[in-house]
Amino acid sequence: MGLFKKSEPQRVEIKGHLLKCPICGAELFYEREAQLNTAVASFFNFDWANRSATCLVCANCTHISWFLGE
């Protein structure tokens, strides 16, 4: 499937609001997960224990918006 979970950009709703890119105002985003690495976990090779975040990448200007949790 490549870099993104879905092959086509999608509209995204966050807490009942349609997400718009804060840079260009576009409404279509690619979704992917990113691990939030910490120095301590990396030092001890426990990167797998770090939290992850959802990243929404604007399909127009590629600005990345990060979200923790579901």
Side-chain angles (χ1 to χ4, degrees), residues 3-4 21-26 28-30 32 55-66:
L3 181 62
F4 300 107
C21 176
I23 304 303
C24 70
L28 295 176
F29 296 85
Y30 292 101
R32 71 174 300 220
C55 296
L56 298 173
V57 181
C58 176
N60 184 53
C61 74
T62 69
H63 173 79
I64 302 172
S65 298
W66 294 68

Side-chain angles (χ1 to χ4, degrees), residues 6-11 28-30 57 59:
K6 297 178 180 168
S7 59
E8 295 295 320
Q10 306 286 319
R11 284 195 165 95
L28 295 176
F29 296 85
Y30 292 101
V57 181

Side-chain angles (χ1 to χ4, degrees), residues 12-28:
V12 178
E13 192 174 292
I14 305 290
K15 296 199 175 220
H17 300 278
L18 183 64
L19 182 65
K20 291 188 179 187
C21 176
I23 304 303
C24 70
E27 297 179 352
L28 295 176

